[in-house]
Amino acid sequence: MPSFDEVLKEAGEFGRFQKRVFFLLSQTGITFSSLFASVVFLGRPPDNFWCRIPGAAELSDQCGWTLEEERNLTVLPLHLGNESISGECERLDVTWDTSVSCTSPLARYGNRSTGSLPLAPCRGNWVYEQPHSSIISEYDLVCGNAWMLDLSQAILNLGFLAGAFILGYAADRYGRILIYLLSCLGVGICGIIAAFSPNFTVFLIFRFLQGMFGKGTWMTCYVLVTEIVGSDQRIVGIVIQMFFTLGIIILPGIAYLIPTWQGIQLAISLPNFLFLLYYWVVPESPRWLLTRKKGEKALKIMRNIAKHNGKFLSPHYSEITISNEEVSNPSFLDLVRTPQMRKNTLILMYAWFTSALIYQGLVMRLGIIGGNLYLDFFISGAVELPAAFLIIVTIDRIGRRLPFAMSNIVASIACLITAFLPEDIPWLKTTVATLGRLSITIAFEVVYLVNSELYPTTLRNFGVSLCSSLCDLGGIIAPFLLFRLAAIWLELPLIIFSILAAVCGLLVLLLPETKGISLPETVEDVEQL
C-alpha cells in the first residue's frame, strides 16, 4: 500500500487542481484582514460634535433656532469663557431663559463671565454633524465612553481566541471544509446583524461571534491549503498571507468610497456568503479523511485531483496508508505529552504572542497619526508586501529556522535603535521603525508556516489553532501595554518589544528545520524530526 505522499506525487503536488483551490481559498485572507483591521474605519473619530443642553428641543421650538444657532447660543459662550473647554464633554449647568430674548438666553446672569458659571458633564445628549459615519457617533462612544471603542476591538480579539479553540477543535474532529463553510456562513450572518444592532451591547455580542467565525475561516482555509500540496510546495502557506496584506491595502479604498460604518461593515461581511459556493469545488482534505479511517473517500478525491492535473493514478490502489496511530479527539495534553511536541508547542506559543504584540504595537506607534487616514493606512499595508517576497526568496534556499530567528533579531535591534534616536531626526526614526515593522511581519508570516509543519495530521488544525490563540492574547494586551508604558516614558514600549523579540529569536533556533521534509503524520514522526 502506498503512502499518502507517494500518491500525492503521482497525482501532482501542485498541479492545476491545487492552484485552483489555492486561489479560491486565498480570497478568505482578504475578508479576514478586513475584519481584523476594520475598527480603524468603523471607529473613525467624528469630525465635529457637541453636547446638547437639557430642554434644547423646547428652546429651539420657542425661538425657531437652527442647530447651528442653538450651538452658537448655548455652547459657544462656554468656550469663550474658558478656551480649554470645547463643549464636547461638558455643558453649562444653568437655567436657560428665553422669555426676554431668544438671542440672550443667559441674560439673567448679567455680566458674569461664563467661565465662572457651574458646569456639568454631558450625559448621552450629543449632536454629531455626521451621526452615522462611525460606531462612535452611532453609540455615543465619546468622552467618558471613549474606552468602549477599545473594548470593541478587545471583544473581536476574544472572538478570535474562542474561534481558535472551538473551531480549531471542530475542524480536527468534523472536517476542514465543513467547519470552513459553517464559519463563512457565521461571519456573514453575524456581520449583517452587527451592522443593524439597535444598541452597543448587541453590537459587541455579534462582533465577538463574527470574530470567532472569522478565525474559523482563516485558520481552516490555511490548514486545508497546506494539506493538499507536496512538501516542496508548502511555500503557498506564505503566499496565502499576501492576500491578507491585499485585504489591508483594499480596506481604505472601501472605506473611502462608503461614507457610513454600516456600509463598510456590510462590504466586509457579505462576500463571505460567496465562499459557500466552494462546497461544489473544494474537497475535504484527503489527509484528514485518512486520519478518520475514511480511505475510500480520500482515494476518490486523489483520483479526482490526478484527473484535473492531467495525471493518472494506478487502478490497483485500493488503500492509502498514513499512520497506525489511533485517532482520538485532540486535547492540549496531546501537544505536550512527548518531549519534542512539548518543546515545539511552548516555543511556538511564545513566538505567536510576541509577533502579535510587537506587530500591533508598531502599527499603533508608527501610528498613522494625523495626515490622510486612507493614504497612511494604504502605505502601512504596502510595507508588508516585501515581507512575503523576502520569505519566498529565502525560505526554500536556506530553510525556515534561520529567517525566523533573524527576522526577530532584526526587529529587536530596530526597536532598540529607534528608542534611542533623537527626536530631531524623525525621518530616521520612522525609517528604522519601518524596518522593525517589516522584520516582525516576516516573523509573523513564517510562524504560520512552521506551526503547520511541526504537528502531525491528527493534531495539526488543533495545534495551529491553539498556538495561534496566543496571537489573539497579544492583540488584546498590545494597546494597553503600549499606552501605559508610553505614559511613563514614550520609548519604553520599544525597549520591551526589543527584549521580547530577542528572546524569541534565540528560542526559535531550538526548533527543528522542516525544509523539504514531508508533513509529519504521527506524533512519532514529530519526535524523530
Side-chain angles (χ1 to χ4, degrees), residues 180-444:
Y180 173 79
L181 294 172
L182 289 175
S183 296
C184 290
L185 181 64
V187 173
I189 292 173
C190 293
I192 292 173
I193 297 174
F196 298 103
S197 298
N199 55 60
F200 190 58
T201 301
V202 174
F203 175 80
L204 287 182
I205 291 171
F206 286 94
R207 181 86 166 152
F208 170 85
L209 292 173
Q210 193 175 23
M212 184 180 75
F213 287 119
K215 188 61 173 277
T217 65
W218 178 236
M219 295 306 302
T220 309
C221 86
Y222 186 89
V223 170
L224 191 53
V225 164
T226 57
E227 286 188 341
I228 63 169
V229 299
S231 61
D232 292 336
Q233 307 297 331
R234 291 201 297 271
I235 195 70
V236 297
I238 298 298
V239 180
I240 197 173
Q241 290 177 76
M242 294 175 68
F243 286 82
F244 182 96
T245 300
L246 185 59
I248 295 288
I249 293 172
I250 291 172
L251 181 60
I254 294 173
Y256 181 79
L257 294 173
I258 302 175
T260 65
W261 76 269
Q262 287 100 335
I264 297 170
Q265 173 71 11
L266 291 174
I268 64 177
S269 302
L270 293 177
N272 284 276
F273 290 119
L274 295 176
F275 299 151
L276 298 178
L277 298 174
Y278 292 178
Y279 174 81
W280 287 277
V281 290
V282 177
E284 180 55 87
S285 165
R287 284 184 189 271
W288 177 83
L289 287 170
L290 288 170
T291 66
R292 307 305 290 188
K293 310 301 184 186
K294 298 179 181 179
E296 290 184 8
K297 287 185 179 180
L299 190 57
K300 182 178 179 181
I301 290 172
M302 293 307 297
R303 293 192 188 283
N304 189 41
I305 291 174
K307 178 182 176 182
H308 281 84
N309 288 346
K311 306 277 187 174
F312 182 73
L313 284 188
S314 170
H316 300 297
Y317 290 161
S318 59
E319 192 174 344
I320 308 172
T321 61
I322 190 166
S323 72
N324 296 318
E325 190 172 85
E326 287 299 316
V327 176
S328 60
N329 297 324
S331 71
F332 177 71
L333 289 177
D334 295 321
L335 303 182
V336 296
R337 186 170 282 121
T338 56
Q340 186 73 22
M341 288 280 288
R342 181 163 55 249
K343 181 181 72 174
N344 294 349
T345 297
L346 295 177
I347 292 175
L348 288 168
M349 290 173 78
Y350 179 79
W352 276 106
F353 175 79
T354 301
S355 298
L357 185 66
I358 299 173
Y359 177 84
Q360 292 201 31
L362 290 179
V363 168
M364 288 184 288
R365 178 186 168 76
L366 278 177
I368 319 172
I369 299 171
N372 186 315
L373 174 63
Y374 305 97
L375 180 61
D376 289 346
F377 195 88
F378 171 82
I379 292 172
S380 76
V383 164
E384 296 183 17
L385 280 178
F389 289 113
L390 286 171
I391 294 170
I392 292 168
V393 169
T394 60
I395 206 165
D396 274 337
R397 288 176 172 82
I398 61 177
R400 279 75 159 138
R401 189 166 50 185
L402 190 58
F404 196 5
M406 287 304 299
S407 58
N408 277 287
I409 296 297
V410 172
S412 173
I413 294 171
C415 287
L416 193 62
I417 292 175
T418 303
F420 292 102
L421 282 173
E423 295 292 337
D424 56 358
I425 42 175
W427 65 270
L428 184 58
K429 284 182 77 80
T430 301
T431 301
V432 178
T434 301
L435 176 62
R437 166 80 181 274
L438 175 64
S439 300
I440 205 63
T441 300
I442 293 174
F444 216 163

